[in-house]
Amino acid sequence: MAAGQVLQADKIFYALGPIGRYQISQLFLVSLGIFAALIQLLDNVFIGSAVEHRCARPQENSSVAHNDRLEKLILSSNLSVSFGKCHIQVKNETGYVLEKHSCVYGFEYEGPRTQSVISQLDLVCGKEQLLRVTQTLVFAGQALGAIVGPFFSDRFGRKPAMIFANLLMAVLGMTIAFASNYLVFAISKFLIGALQQSLYIPICIFTGEMLPTEYRRYSIIFNTVSWSVAGLFMSLVAYLMRDMSWRYLQAVLTLSSLVFIIQL
């Protein structure tokens, strides 16, 4: 563009009509992607809810390696054994702690083991930070996505960027739901973070670009309201599924990414 020449795009918007049913319907359709952006960012709050736990007792035919000496102490009539949250304590008749052992027989949880990713992956007793690490990985992924996402949005267009990010978020969300170990869970969280920004930034840009300058503040209001509604929606779904497996909850929340089918 030559120096001093200004592109008067707003004149085109006003000629066509600055805001009407078309713009409102497009704002609504695009903002549906905000549900997936918020849910995949904050769902650790619900799938990783805290669970009461204690050291498990030795079980016959258990696949857990046996500690023969500890089992003899447990069976001894002269000693008392307490199974705490993270340690097994062997005490004499006076209550003096003779020995302290880690939870060598695993853990027992209040309620089904599948109620939380914490109980499913035994993220307790020195491993509590691992769940917080996955949220940090989400934020690290966001930093990457904030750099890479806008490039693809500018290069290939807002719509392809949003649809592609939503599609991959659906795949990774389901990967998290079926994750069999912590490594898969953590890596998927990092990639989800990158895609979250690759989705959310084009949404904010796209909704602003479809309105003239005077009306662009409404797109910000619309996106903010959509973000709040998405949070309420996620909380409601989590409440209704509070007695179900965290895997089912993750899978149902991930369905929000299927909005890309409508956005096509």
Side-chain angles (χ1 to χ4, degrees), residues 216-233:
R216 284 180 181 172
R217 62 183 182 274
Y218 295 120
S219 71
I220 299 173
I221 296 172
F222 202 89
N223 290 336
T224 303
V225 171
S226 298
W227 185 272
S228 301
V229 172
L232 294 173
F233 171 79

Side-chain angles (χ1 to χ4, degrees), residues 2-264:
Q5 188 178 5
V6 179
L7 178 63
Q8 297 291 342
D10 281 2
K11 292 183 178 179
I12 302 174
F13 282 116
Y14 283 110
L16 296 172
I19 187 166
R21 285 181 298 176
Y22 173 79
Q23 288 86 349
I24 292 173
S25 65
Q26 289 297 306
L27 282 171
F28 175 75
L29 288 175
V30 174
S31 67
L32 288 177
I34 291 178
F35 280 66
L38 177 134
I39 285 171
Q40 297 295 358
L41 176 64
L42 301 177
D43 67 347
N44 264 7
V45 173
F46 298 106
I47 67 173
S49 57
V51 183
E52 288 295 321
H53 66 278
R54 61 179 178 273
C55 293
R57 296 175 177 274
Q59 301 289 333
E60 293 184 4
N61 302 322
S62 173
S63 60
V64 178
H66 289 270
N67 186 324
D68 294 335
R69 184 175 182 281
L70 178 57
E71 289 184 16
K72 290 178 181 179
L73 294 174
I74 293 173
L75 296 174
S76 174
S77 59
N78 298 324
L79 301 173
S80 64
V81 180
S82 63
F83 294 84
K85 284 191 172 184
C86 297
H87 295 96
I88 301 173
Q89 292 185 338
V90 181
K91 304 176 182 178
N92 59 18
E93 295 177 346
T94 64
Y96 179 77
V97 178
L98 299 174
E99 294 184 14
K100 182 186 286 188
H101 298 262
S102 61
C103 298
V104 294
Y105 304 110
F107 300 92
E108 293 178 353
Y109 296 94
E110 296 292 336
R113 192 179 183 89
T114 58
Q115 64 185 309
S116 170
V117 67
I118 289 178
S119 53
Q120 186 83 72
L121 301 180
D122 286 334
L123 302 181
V124 294
C125 297
K127 297 182 179 180
E128 299 94 338
Q129 301 297 330
L130 291 179
L131 183 63
R132 299 187 182 99
V133 168
T134 62
Q135 192 62 37
T136 302
L137 289 173
V138 173
F139 296 146
Q142 283 186 295
L144 176 63
I147 298 172
V148 178
F151 168 77
F152 286 100
S153 176
D154 290 340
R155 177 67 179 81
F156 300 104
R158 316 296 185 215
K159 179 178 175 179
M162 289 187 295
I163 292 175
F164 185 69
N166 245 331
L167 174 60
L168 289 184
M169 285 179 71
V171 173
L172 287 170
M174 288 301 178
T175 301
I176 291 173
F178 291 97
S180 58
N181 57 69
Y182 177 79
L183 183 61
V184 173
F185 185 86
I187 293 174
S188 299
K189 281 291 183 180
F190 173 76
L191 297 175
I192 280 280
L195 290 168
Q196 192 268 353
Q197 284 294 284
S198 299
L199 170 65
Y200 188 65
I201 291 177
I203 287 176
C204 294
I205 297 173
F206 192 33
T207 53
E209 287 176 337
M210 68 174 63
L211 298 174
T213 305
E214 181 184 354
Y215 290 88
R216 284 180 181 172
R217 62 183 182 274
Y218 295 120
S219 71
I220 299 173
I221 296 172
F222 202 89
N223 290 336
T224 303
V225 171
S226 298
W227 185 272
S228 301
V229 172
L232 294 173
F233 171 79
M234 178 174 64
S235 302
L236 176 61
V237 172
Y239 175 76
L240 295 175
M241 299 183 66
R242 63 190 180 279
D243 296 323
M244 302 180 70
S245 168
W246 72 271
R247 296 186 185 277
Y248 292 143
L249 175 58
Q250 172 67 27
V252 170
L253 291 176
T254 298
L255 293 179
S256 60
S257 289
L258 296 184
V259 70
F260 80 87
I261 297 175
I262 301 175
Q263 291 177 334
L264 285 172

